Amino acid sequence: NKFKIINFFLGLMSLFLPPKIIFTNGKIDKKKFESKFPRSQIVSLNSWDASKVFLNNTKKIFSKKKYGVYLTPFSIKSASDSNTYGYKKLENAKKVFYDVNKGLGEIEQKYKKKILIGLHPRGEDKISKLKELGNRQTFKYKTLELIKNSNFVITHMSIAISYAILFNKPLIFIHTKEHKKNLFYMRYNKHMANFFSCESVNIENISNISIPDKISRSMKSRYDYFKNTYLLSNDYKKLPNYKIIKKTI
C-alpha cells in the first residue's frame, strides 16, 4: 500500500526532524502525538464540521413546519461510502431508494413531519427533487443548515452525523433488506447505532421506529463523550479552526 509506505518514511523523518507545531484533532490524537513527539507543540483543533458550526450563524428556513432530514448514502450513479474503505458496493441503489422512499412516506404520515433530503456530496449536482425518493425536496452542500433546523436525522452511517451530535438532534439509523448483502455496512450500521444508544431499524417496518422529541439521557452522555473525544478542541471549544491556527502561529 503506497500510503503506508509514504506514512512510514514521513514518520521516520519526523523522528530526526520533529515538527515545531502539530495540529491534531480531538483529545485522543493529542495524547498520542504528545507521547510520540515530546519536543513538538501539539495543538488540538476542532473537527472541521465543528469548525463550520462555529463559523455558521445562518437562520435559513427550509420549512416553516417541523421536519426531519434523511442523509443519502449515495446517489443512483455514485459509489457508496463502503468504497472509501475498500469494500465493493453490493447494494442496488434503486432498490435501496425504493424501500427507503416507502418508509419515509410512512414516517411522514405517522409523525406528521415532512422529510427533506440531504444529498451526498458525491451525488449528481443540480437536483432540486429526487424522483427515487418521492420527489421530496433535496439540498446539496446544505447539510449543516438542514440538520441545525431539523427535529431528527435519519441516516445509514453518514459522517455528517457530526452535525446531529453537535446540535443534539435525535439519530435514527436505518437499513433495508438490500443492505444485508453488505456485511461491512450492516456491522458498521449496528455498531454506530449501539454506540449512540440508538437502534438500527429496518426502514421497511416502521413499527420498530420510535422518533423521540429530544435525545435521551443515555444518548446525551454518548454525544458528549463523542464531542469531547473526537470533535472538539481540548482548549478552544468555541473557536473556528482558522482562529486557533492564527492564534498558535
Side-chain angles (χ1 to χ4, degrees), residues 95-149:
K95 290 181 179 179
V96 170
F97 280 156
Y98 175 84
D99 291 330
V100 169
N101 176 48
K102 188 177 177 182
L104 294 183
E106 292 179 12
I107 291 172
E108 287 176 322
Q109 190 173 16
K110 180 179 179 180
Y111 289 94
K112 309 303 180 189
K113 293 185 177 82
K114 68 188 300 185
I115 294 176
L116 304 181
I117 310 300
L119 290 175
H120 195 285
R122 290 198 301 273
E124 296 87 347
D125 286 319
K126 298 180 181 178
I127 300 176
S128 60
K129 292 185 177 180
L130 196 63
K131 64 179 181 179
E132 288 83 9
L133 289 173
N135 287 317
R136 291 180 178 84
Q137 197 170 3
T138 64
F139 301 89
K140 192 173 183 182
Y141 307 127
K142 297 291 183 183
T143 307
L144 186 161
E145 296 93 333
L146 270 177
I147 292 177
K148 180 179 180 180
N149 297 294

Side-chain angles (χ1 to χ4, degrees), residues 43-87:
V43 180
S44 172
L45 297 174
N46 293 297
S47 73
W48 290 102
D49 284 345
S51 183
K52 287 179 184 177
V53 168
F54 300 144
L55 276 171
N56 187 284
N57 294 312
T58 182
K59 293 183 179 179
K60 183 175 177 62
I61 303 300
F62 296 94
S63 172
K64 292 182 179 179
K65 297 180 179 179
K66 294 181 177 181
Y67 70 90
V69 176
Y70 167 62
L71 302 174
T72 61
F74 43 63
S75 69
I76 296 298
K77 296 180 182 178
S78 71
S80 69
D81 286 334
S82 300
N83 296 80
T84 306
Y85 298 94
Y87 292 85

Side-chain angles (χ1 to χ4, degrees), residues 42-244:
I42 314 298
V43 180
S44 172
L45 297 174
N46 293 297
S47 73
W48 290 102
D49 284 345
S51 183
K52 287 179 184 177
V53 168
F54 300 144
L55 276 171
N56 187 284
N57 294 312
T58 182
K59 293 183 179 179
K60 183 175 177 62
I61 303 300
F62 296 94
S63 172
K64 292 182 179 179
K65 297 180 179 179
K66 294 181 177 181
Y67 70 90
V69 176
Y70 167 62
L71 302 174
T72 61
F74 43 63
S75 69
I76 296 298
K77 296 180 182 178
S78 71
S80 69
D81 286 334
S82 300
N83 296 80
T84 306
Y85 298 94
Y87 292 85
K88 185 179 179 181
K89 178 179 173 180
L90 300 172
E91 314 95 301
N92 181 298
K94 287 187 177 181
K95 290 181 179 179
V96 170
F97 280 156
Y98 175 84
D99 291 330
V100 169
N101 176 48
K102 188 177 177 182
L104 294 183
E106 292 179 12
I107 291 172
E108 287 176 322
Q109 190 173 16
K110 180 179 179 180
Y111 289 94
K112 309 303 180 189
K113 293 185 177 82
K114 68 188 300 185
I115 294 176
L116 304 181
I117 310 300
L119 290 175
H120 195 285
R122 290 198 301 273
E124 296 87 347
D125 286 319
K126 298 180 181 178
I127 300 176
S128 60
K129 292 185 177 180
L130 196 63
K131 64 179 181 179
E132 288 83 9
L133 289 173
N135 287 317
R136 291 180 178 84
Q137 197 170 3
T138 64
F139 301 89
K140 192 173 183 182
Y141 307 127
K142 297 291 183 183
T143 307
L144 186 161
E145 296 93 333
L146 270 177
I147 292 177
K148 180 179 180 180
N149 297 294
S150 71
N151 295 99
F152 57 88
V153 178
I154 299 173
T155 181
H156 298 271
M157 54 183 192
S158 171
I159 59 173
I161 62 170
S162 293
Y163 295 129
I165 294 161
L166 289 162
F167 292 122
N168 289 319
K169 303 295 182 179
L171 279 168
I172 301 96
F173 288 86
I174 62 167
H175 60 270
T176 71
K177 61 178 178 291
E178 187 69 15
H179 285 113
K180 293 180 180 179
K181 297 177 181 178
N182 189 333
L183 186 59
F184 165 81
Y185 169 89
M186 291 302 297
R187 284 177 175 171
Y188 195 85
N189 179 271
K190 290 181 178 181
H191 171 76
M192 293 297 287
N194 289 335
F195 181 87
F196 290 112
S197 295
C198 308
E199 289 186 56
S200 173
V201 294
N202 188 335
I203 191 69
E204 298 159 82
N205 184 4
I206 72 154
S207 61
N208 293 329
I209 298 177
S210 176
I211 300 177
D213 293 326
K214 60 182 180 179
I215 60 174
S216 65
R217 185 176 297 178
S218 60
M219 287 180 74
K220 178 70 164 59
S221 174
R222 300 309 290 170
Y223 279 27
D224 288 344
Y225 171 81
F226 192 84
K227 279 189 277 193
N228 292 322
T229 305
Y230 299 104
L231 301 181
L232 298 180
S233 165
N234 280 18
D235 305 308
Y236 307 103
K237 288 184 169 60
K238 295 294 181 182
L239 284 181
N241 285 342
Y242 85 91
K243 289 188 175 181
I244 301 174

Side-chain angles (χ1 to χ4, degrees), residues 33-48:
F33 282 111
E34 281 174 340
S35 61
K36 192 173 181 180
F37 300 100
R39 290 184 290 166
S40 301
Q41 180 185 359
I42 314 298
V43 180
S44 172
L45 297 174
N46 293 297
S47 73
W48 290 102

